[in-house]
Amino acid sequence: MATPTCTEPAPTTVGVRTEFQRHVDGLLVRIGAGDAEAFAALYDLTSSRVFGVCRRLIRDVAEAEDVAQEAYLEIWGKAGSFDPGRGAGTGWIMAIAHHRAVDRVRSTEGARRRDTAWTRNAYRRPGDDTPERILAATEVEEIRAAIGRLSEVRQQALVYAFFTDHTYAQASSMLGIPLGTFKSRVRDAVRALRTLLAATS
């Protein structure tokens, strides 16, 4: 996503909207009436700030760009409800971007928790606490030593599965492999680690 330099000048009078803010207000009113040219102008003026809001909450640049684009789709769809009398358009835009970013963070965290629960349930044997020992990391040195004895592929799978905030889908994408392949690698790595930890018990 292109991130043009924002040309907003610094406010000159406290409590009074700047010329830039009034211009944004006018563009939003035109967008509400279906003016595509006004939307393009608004994007050029505000995209760097919108992306900045998303980037502060979302670590992944590409994902932050996606969320910024989603914010603009919402802006286009809701511009008809914007009322300059209730507040400046710049604040209205940034609130939409912030809400979108927060929603994405919550969604990603929820997916990560589901992946973690899936791992616990999928790889547990009766009486086996390997997933919990990995996730809780209460025996850090023992676990590090055992992981260090695994193959590079297995180590990589465990690191992405248990020691990062990435979901399985994100991890598989970053590694350039299908999601099913990544899950198989994690399963294989957990089994190998289970064997090593059992030998040290």
Side-chain angles (χ1 to χ4, degrees):
M1 180 188 75
T3 53
T5 302
C6 182
T7 57
E8 179 183 5
T12 55
T13 306
V14 176
V16 178
R17 294 183 194 180
T18 65
E19 181 180 352
F20 176 88
Q21 290 174 321
R22 291 194 297 272
H23 182 48
V24 169
D25 290 351
L27 289 174
L28 284 170
V29 171
R30 288 169 54 193
I31 293 168
D35 190 332
E37 290 186 1
F39 182 73
L42 181 78
Y43 180 88
D44 288 341
L45 286 174
T46 62
S47 59
S48 63
R49 294 184 65 195
V50 167
F51 174 73
V53 169
C54 297
R55 187 69 179 87
R56 281 195 291 273
L57 293 171
I58 301 171
R59 290 182 297 178
D60 183 78
V61 174
E63 190 172 7
E65 290 176 345
D66 287 344
V67 172
Q69 296 294 348
E70 291 175 1
Y72 276 102
L73 288 176
E74 184 173 346
I75 289 167
W76 171 262
K78 292 185 175 180
S81 66
F82 169 68
D83 180 4
R86 298 180 61 183
T90 49
W92 185 78
I93 290 169
M94 297 310 147
I96 288 177
H98 182 267
H99 291 158
R100 280 283 178 173
V102 169
D103 286 346
R104 178 62 65 90
V105 170
R106 288 173 176 168
S107 175
T108 299
E109 178 60 22
R112 188 186 68 79
R113 287 196 297 268
R114 288 192 295 273
D115 283 342
T116 297
W118 180 85
T119 299
R120 289 194 181 105
N121 294 328
Y123 302 149
R124 182 186 288 111
R125 291 177 178 174
D128 177 42
D129 65 349
T130 300
E132 284 74 10
R133 291 170 71 183
I134 295 173
L135 294 168
T138 56
E139 300 168 338
V140 176
E141 293 305 320
E142 175 189 342
I143 293 171
R144 284 180 178 173
I147 291 176
R149 294 167 61 187
L150 298 175
S151 67
E152 183 176 349
V153 171
R154 287 172 172 172
Q155 289 184 37
Q156 187 181 60
L158 287 176
V159 168
Y160 274 98
F162 296 105
F163 301 111
T164 73
D165 292 331
H166 302 301
T167 65
Y168 279 24
Q170 290 172 333
S172 63
S173 177
M174 294 172 70
L175 293 173
I177 59 176
L179 177 58
T181 299
F182 178 73
K183 289 183 177 181
S184 294
R185 288 185 181 180
V186 175
R187 180 168 57 250
D188 179 63
V190 169
R191 287 173 176 169
L193 185 61
R194 177 188 296 128
T195 300
L196 291 173
L197 292 174
T200 62
S201 300

